[in-house]
């Protein structure tokens, strides 16, 4: 077991080794125990200032990071695009340099441009954690997803994971593919062909267009949100048709001869990609994902701080 | 009056010359090649003697964004011609995408007149459609008489097949040439790089090879129908090479070029989000890259172009998807080809693709190294090392992917008739 991450930034799962992922999981287990104590706070990040830079809307990821930082006793500054000078035309580099002049040690950033974090890592000195870069990666989401799956199913090697929905616009899908493959799981994607990248098979991922067959194949189904905000053109004719042919409902699950685990990174479009009775059923580990999110993010922050 | 030059012990690189690949002295008098011989003595001529000196027929680059008038903060006539000379070019074809667009004889004259008595000749391209909007054809006859060498909307593709057809038909009255950069904007969509494994792993919308190939297919059909002349600028895919190869075999008057970066790099080089290499046409797959090299060697591709798109830092030093497409390239074509593609491209092929090919696309008179001919020459030092930085960058823009990297192969100077320009070696 390695004791240190192989990298000073978490820009994407692509750039982590399986050893890094294992180390993050082991550390997260400790922190999960911590956050269930009566006193949920540890002093690990005392004197470390973390800036949460959100150039795109986020509620749960931002809160999850902020909670993780505060439970590690970090000093936290928050910045979101709607209240910032970005709207006045300032470049990312200028914005971030200004913030760093205020002596920030770590940056957690969400940004609409794929690769924005790479760009930043070439220009600034702080540790960078990617909290989502456009349609590229969302590494901490994939880590918490895999962590939650492992908690439920044990070792993921050989397990069958279905990722369902808008694969084309999803950073969660891509990070999940990379993460699950590094842990030895098999991955299949399902959705309308217009929402599946043409070359996804070159990543070693299988494609299934029939939701019923796909669900019958898998041990876990991670159902993605339909990202209407990222669709500048129509990729499918209507939400109604999508819900009918690609949505996951109780009738579909009842027809399976086994129990599968249902996941969703949130926020849920209830009645579109997943019906309420599935989201709220005991197949679903959606709320465990949220809880694990804080522990996994604490682990990532802690391990990066240790690399300083 | 221009100077006379005596070039000592230079290797002549010109497959169309009887002196190809021989070491000679060359005397240039009053802008002409006076004599070529094993040893020449001459009074009053400036002696140019450099170890390893190679002499090519002057290079010509089709499709340079001059940005003057309108975008002089990127480039102007003086800097673009200086950059061209420093890159070894004696001529460039300027794109019409200025502000205002080059669409009248006055606009054509502005560029023509600038290059009078300059070492680098500017051959203006006139716009194919008004304001390069792809809707109505321009006064091409008038521009032709003013000196426009071809008609195009630059890197903007013509969506409307009828417009391109009418342009192809209209230029036949003066044996004119239409240039098209083929990329279907609906299929390219918001694509940021070649669609393939790399675009998938980077989570970015891709520009499928199909976006180019479907339009080239269309263009070739329009060409066959109109029986006109078409030059396809900067092709990038294996499918495009194959279609053009077949069209040439069928006898269509089609020519094409490739941008030098597409020969050197593939989409895999973008895995680190390097926005300096965000160019149009996009860097394609390794298979496409190989097909382009084969197309050059077998003659399907007639010329190599720099695809010079100078841009300010504010448009390039950005997150990949926000950065603009384009790279400055005039000064780095030769060293890049020289250092990295010596194997498939020997110097004879470089002469063909940088000097002869572009002129035959434009139906211009051949410039070859023979006694009595015009001295239009590029002087190179293939073994010399240098790097492009602010001390020697002649362009106003710095968006060159080779910026500050060590390059092998340097331009010593250019001679064009009575005009010449030399650079420090």
């Amino acid at each position: 077991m390695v004791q240190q991450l192989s990298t000073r930034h978490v820009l994407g799962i692509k750039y982590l080794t399986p050893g890094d992922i294992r180390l993050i999981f082991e550390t997260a287990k400790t922190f999960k125990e911590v956050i269930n104590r009566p006193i949920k706070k540890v002093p690990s990040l005392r004197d470390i200032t973390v800036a949460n830079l959100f150039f795109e809307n986020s509620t749960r990821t931002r809160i999850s990071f902020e909670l993780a930082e505060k439970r590690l006793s970090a000093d936290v500054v928050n910045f979101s695009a709607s209240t910032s000078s970005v709207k006045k035309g300032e470049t990312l580099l200028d914005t971030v340099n200004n913030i760093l002049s205020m002596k920030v040690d770590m940056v957690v950033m969400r940004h609409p441009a794929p690769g924005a974090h790479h760009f930043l890592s070439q220009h600034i000195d702080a540790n960078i954690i990617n909290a989502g870069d456009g349609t590229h990666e969302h590494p901490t989401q994939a880590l918490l997803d895999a962590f939650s799956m492992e908690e439920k199913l044990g070792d993921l090697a050989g397990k069958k994971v279905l990722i369902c929905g808008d694969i084309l616009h999803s950073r969660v899908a891509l990070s999940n593919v990379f993460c699950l493959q590094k842990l030895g799981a098999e991955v299949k994607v399902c959705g309308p062909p217009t929402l599946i990248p043409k070359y996804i098979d070159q990543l070693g991922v299988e494609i299934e267009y029939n939701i019923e067959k796909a669900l019958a194949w898998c041990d876990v189904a991670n159902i993605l949100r339909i990202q209407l905000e990222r669709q500048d053109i129509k990729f499918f004719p209507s939400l109604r048709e999508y819900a009918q042919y690609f949505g996951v409902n109780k009738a579909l699950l009842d027809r399976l001869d086994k129990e599968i685990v249902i996941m969703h990174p949130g926020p849920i479009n209830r009645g579109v990609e997943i019906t309420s009775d599935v989201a709220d059923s005991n197949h679903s580990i959606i709320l465990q994902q949220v809880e694990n999110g804080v522990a996994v993010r604490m682990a990532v922050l802690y391990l990066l701080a240790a690399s300083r | 009056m221009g100077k006379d030059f005596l070039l000592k012990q230079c290797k002549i690189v010109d497959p169309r010359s009887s002196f190809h690949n021989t070491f000679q002295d060359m005397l240039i008098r009053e802008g002409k090649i006076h004599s070529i011989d094993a040893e020449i003595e001459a009074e009053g001529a400036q002696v140019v003697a450099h170890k390893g000196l190679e002499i090519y027929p002057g290079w010509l680059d089709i499709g340079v964004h001059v940005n003057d008038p309108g975008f002089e903060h990127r480039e102007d006539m003086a800097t673009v011609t200086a950059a061209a000379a420093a890159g070894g070019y004696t001529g460039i074809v300027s794109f019409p995408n200025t502000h205002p667009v080059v669409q009248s004889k006055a606009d054509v004259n502005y560029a023509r007149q600038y290059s009078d008595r300059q070492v680098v000749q500017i051959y203006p391209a006139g716009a194919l459609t008004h304001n390069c909007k792809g809707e109505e054809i321009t006064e091409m006859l008038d521009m032709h008489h003013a000196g426009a060498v071809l008609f195009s909307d630059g890197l903007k593709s013509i969506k409307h097949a009828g417009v391109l057809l009418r342009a192809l038909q209209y230029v036949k009255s003066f044996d004119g040439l239409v240039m098209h950069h083929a990329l279907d904007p609906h299929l390219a969509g918001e694509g940021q790089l070649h669609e393939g494994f790399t675009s998938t792993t980077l989570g970015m919308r891709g520009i499928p090879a199909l976006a180019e190939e479907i339009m080239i297919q269309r263009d070739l059909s329009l060409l066959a129908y109109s029986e006109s002349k078409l030059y396809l600028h900067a092709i990038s895919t294996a499918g495009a090479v194959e279609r053009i190869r077949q069209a040439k075999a069928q006898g269509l008057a089609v020519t094409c070029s490739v941008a030098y970066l597409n020969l050197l790099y593939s989409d895999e080089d973008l895995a680190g989000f390097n926005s300096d290499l965000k160019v149009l046409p996009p860097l394609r797959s390794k298979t496409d890259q190989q097909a382009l090299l084969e197309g050059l060697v077998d003659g399907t591709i007639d010329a190599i172009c720099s695809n010079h798109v100078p841009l300010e830092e504010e448009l390039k030093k950005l997150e990949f998807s926000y950065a603009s497409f384009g790279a400055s390239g005039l000064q780095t074509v030769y060293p890049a080809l020289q250092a990295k593609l010596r194997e498939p491209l020997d110097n004879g092929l470089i002469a063909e693709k940088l000097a002869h090919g572009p002129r035959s696309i434009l139906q211009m008179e051949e410039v070859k190294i023979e006694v009595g001919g015009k001295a239009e020459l590029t002087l190179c030092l293939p073994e010399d090392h240098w790097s492009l930085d602010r001390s020697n960058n002649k362009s106003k823009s710095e968006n060159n992917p080779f910026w500050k990297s060590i390059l092998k192969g340097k331009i010593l100077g250019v001679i064009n008739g009575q005009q010449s320009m030399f650079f420090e070696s």
Side-chain angles (χ1 to χ4, degrees):
Chain A
M1 179 87 181
V2 289
Q3 294 304 315
Q4 221 181 332
L5 292 181
S6 65
T7 161
R8 17 185 332 258
H9 308 292
V10 174
L11 303 180
I13 301 288
K14 242 193 325 258
Y15 315 105
L16 296 179
T17 64
D20 290 333
I21 297 173
R22 286 254 67 85
L23 176 61
I24 292 168
F25 285 3
E26 289 311 312
T27 315
K29 279 180 195 161
T30 317
F31 284 124
K32 187 163 179 183
E33 187 260 320
V34 168
I35 56 179
N36 281 296
R37 286 180 198 161
I39 295 170
K40 301 178 180 65
K41 200 159 172 166
V42 288
S44 314
L45 256 61
R46 218 162 65 188
D47 258 5
I48 300 256
T49 307
V50 185
N52 296 317
L53 311 182
F54 280 74
F55 294 91
E56 242 187 9
N57 288 337
S58 163
T59 308
R60 61 197 65 217
T61 305
R62 193 171 51 79
I63 290 175
S64 179
F65 266 110
E66 193 172 338
L67 213 51
E69 290 148 10
K70 287 184 168 161
R71 290 193 171 152
L72 291 167
S73 306
D75 296 317
V76 180
V77 286
N78 285 312
F79 168 99
S80 68
S82 54
T83 58
S84 78
S85 49
V86 174
K87 286 199 164 165
K88 298 171 196 157
E90 192 177 61
T91 66
L92 173 62
L93 199 54
D94 284 338
T95 305
V96 174
N97 274 331
N98 275 297
I99 290 165
L100 290 186
S101 301
M102 303 170 199
K103 310 285 178 235
V104 166
D105 304 294
M106 298 172 91
V107 170
V108 173
M109 185 169 85
R110 168 167 289 188
H111 195 279
H117 300 76
H118 281 75
F119 175 76
L120 205 59
S121 70
Q122 288 155 8
H123 294 100
I124 71 168
D125 200 34
N127 303 94
I128 298 167
I129 299 173
N130 182 355
D133 58 336
T135 47
H136 179 221
E137 283 227 39
H138 190 356
T140 56
Q141 179 70 43
L143 289 168
L144 77 88
D145 286 347
F147 182 82
S148 306
M149 285 179 216
E150 215 178 75
E151 211 175 46
K152 187 89 180 168
L153 300 171
D155 187 2
L156 293 184
K159 293 288 186 306
K160 296 184 166 83
V161 182
L162 175 72
I163 305 174
C164 191
D166 181 357
I167 314 296
L168 187 67
H169 297 98
S170 175
R171 52 192 170 215
V172 177
L174 206 50
S175 285
N176 256 276
V177 168
F178 295 137
C179 189
L180 293 165
Q181 288 180 335
K182 285 186 181 188
L183 295 171
E186 284 179 55
V187 184
K188 197 174 264 194
V189 294
C190 178
T194 46
L195 289 177
I196 293 179
K198 179 167 164 62
Y199 294 93
I200 191 100
D201 58 329
Q202 291 189 7
L203 269 51
V205 170
E206 285 185 55
I207 301 164
E208 172 61 64
Y209 300 128
N210 181 306
I211 185 73
E212 192 156 1
K213 284 187 191 159
L215 289 170
W217 170 84
C218 71
D219 300 310
V220 188
N222 196 353
I223 298 156
L224 303 179
R225 180 182 145 70
I226 283 293
Q227 307 248 23
L228 290 171
E229 68 275 17
R230 287 190 201 284
Q231 296 187 13
D232 46 0
I233 43 178
K234 277 231 166 191
F235 286 89
F236 57 90
S238 68
L239 283 179
R240 190 196 69 84
E241 186 162 290
Y242 183 89
Q244 279 204 327
Y245 292 92
F246 298 98
V248 177
N249 56 44
K250 188 146 185 311
L252 273 174
L253 294 189
D254 287 345
R255 285 207 289 277
L256 302 177
D257 56 6
K258 60 178 177 182
E259 282 203 359
I260 62 168
V261 179
I262 298 291
M263 302 175 71
H264 192 299
I268 305 174
N269 297 310
R270 285 177 183 261
V272 181
E273 66 266 4
I274 185 169
T275 53
S276 288
D277 50 6
V278 174
D280 303 331
S281 71
N282 51 9
H283 296 296
S284 151
I285 58 165
I286 295 174
L287 292 175
Q288 285 94 310
Q289 286 175 263
V290 179
E291 181 187 349
N292 289 336
V294 178
V296 164
R297 289 179 175 119
M298 285 172 81
V300 169
L301 286 158
Y302 171 81
L303 291 166
L304 283 183
S307 76
R308 288 185 68 82
Chain B
M1 273 303 281
K3 274 188 217 157
D4 293 346
F5 293 99
L6 177 59
L7 313 178
K8 296 295 283 180
Q9 281 310 293
C10 52
K11 184 177 179 183
I12 293 174
V13 184
D14 182 4
R16 300 192 186 188
S17 159
S18 52
F19 297 101
H20 181 48
N21 270 340
T22 62
F23 289 86
Q24 305 286 349
D25 285 3
M26 186 190 296
L27 178 63
I28 293 157
R29 280 226 157 108
E30 293 174 0
K32 289 195 164 165
I33 299 173
H34 179 272
S35 49
I36 299 175
D37 215 327
E39 190 151 4
I40 302 174
E41 298 284 334
E43 287 284 315
Q46 183 182 330
V47 175
V48 180
H50 276 278
K51 195 169 174 292
L53 178 62
E54 292 188 348
I55 310 289
Y56 285 76
W59 298 335
L60 193 152
D61 193 22
I62 302 185
V64 174
H65 282 267
V66 296
N67 288 301
D68 180 357
F71 308 100
E72 291 90 342
H73 58 291
R74 293 177 188 156
E75 205 80 287
D76 60 30
M77 292 296 183
T79 60
V80 79
T81 46
Y89 293 97
T90 55
I92 55 174
V93 173
S94 58
F95 269 161
N97 314 78
T98 48
H99 186 73
V101 161
V102 178
Q103 55 192 4
S104 71
K105 62 182 173 188
D107 302 327
V108 171
N109 276 331
Y110 174 68
R112 283 295 306 157
Q113 282 171 2
Y114 180 83
S115 64
D116 277 356
R117 296 174 167 272
Q118 299 284 331
V119 67
V120 177
Q121 288 297 300
I122 299 177
Y123 302 101
L128 190 87
T129 65
H130 278 288
N131 296 320
C132 297
K133 282 187 170 166
E135 291 161 4
E136 291 164 45
I137 58 173
T138 52
E139 293 176 345
M140 291 189 262
L141 253 169
D142 218 16
M143 286 193 276
H144 162 71
H145 288 298
V149 294
L150 57 81
F151 299 92
S152 125
D153 282 354
L155 293 184
K156 283 190 176 173
S157 300
I158 309 285
K159 280 182 270 188
H160 197 306
V163 170
L164 188 64
L165 177 63
R166 283 190 285 283
L168 283 163
Q169 289 172 323
Y170 195 73
V171 298
K172 284 173 73 179
S173 67
F174 54 91
D175 198 22
L177 179 67
V178 166
M179 183 207 105
H180 191 219
H181 179 250
L183 191 72
D184 185 307
H186 302 297
L187 289 172
E190 292 299 304
Q192 299 292 320
L193 72 164
H194 172 64
E195 183 186 69
F197 178 79
T198 305
S199 70
T200 308
T201 61
L202 296 183
M204 281 191 280
R205 214 63 79 79
I207 303 174
L210 183 72
E212 175 172 316
E213 289 160 4
I214 220 163
M215 225 177 207
I216 283 185
Q217 190 78 55
R218 178 200 77 172
D219 292 358
L220 292 170
S221 300
L222 295 172
L223 179 65
Y225 178 86
S226 61
E227 299 177 37
S228 184
K229 288 198 179 72
L230 177 67
Y231 157 58
L232 292 165
H233 180 70
I235 63 166
S236 69
T237 73
V241 175
E242 188 46 39
R243 282 171 179 81
I244 293 167
R245 185 178 285 131
Q246 288 169 11
K248 283 189 165 186
Q250 287 162 12
L252 292 188
V254 60
T255 50
C256 66
S257 67
V258 59
Y260 82 115
L261 288 177
N262 291 78
L263 297 172
L264 295 166
Y265 296 107
S266 72
D267 61 337
E268 293 173 26
D269 296 297
L270 296 171
F273 296 95
N274 181 3
S275 61
D276 285 341
L277 288 174
K278 184 177 175 183
V279 288
L280 210 61
L283 302 173
R284 297 288 186 183
S285 70
K286 281 244 159 27
T287 317
D288 293 311
Q289 197 185 349
Q290 190 53 39
L292 291 168
L293 285 167
E294 285 164 15
L296 269 179
V297 173
D298 75 14
T300 303
I301 301 177
D302 304 274
I304 299 171
C305 63
S306 73
N307 204 14
H308 182 73
V309 181
L311 291 169
E312 57 272 35
E313 186 185 64
E314 292 75 15
L315 292 180
K316 285 305 276 190
K317 206 172 171 188
L318 290 175
E319 302 87 315
F320 191 90
S321 48
Y322 297 165
S324 296
F325 287 97
S328 160
L330 278 169
Q331 281 181 258
T332 43
V333 172
Y334 174 67
L337 297 179
Q338 170 67 19
K340 302 208 172 166
L341 291 177
R342 201 69 208 240
E343 254 314 293
L345 304 182
D346 63 10
N347 56 11
L349 204 61
I350 289 179
E352 278 298 328
K353 304 303 175 185
L354 293 182
H356 297 307
R359 288 187 176 83
S360 60
I361 290 172
L362 297 171
Q363 310 167 85
M364 280 168 62
E365 204 180 324
E366 194 173 53
V367 169
K368 69 178 178 183
I369 299 180
E370 291 297 354
V371 175
K374 183 189 175 196
E376 186 165 351
L377 304 168
T378 300
L379 285 60
C380 307
L381 300 169
E383 301 300 324
D384 281 27
H385 290 83
W386 65 294
S387 73
L388 181 69
D389 56 35
R390 285 199 177 147
S391 72
N392 52 22
N393 180 38
K394 306 290 180 195
S395 168
K396 278 191 190 174
S397 299
E398 297 179 355
N399 59 318
N400 189 306
F402 296 101
W403 190 254
K404 289 189 175 167
S405 54
I406 303 289
L407 299 162
K408 183 174 170 233
K410 197 169 185 294
I411 302 301
L412 176 66
V414 281
I415 297 173
N416 193 353
Q418 303 273 20
Q419 310 297 329
S420 62
M421 196 181 280
F422 280 81
F423 306 97
E424 281 174 40
S425 71

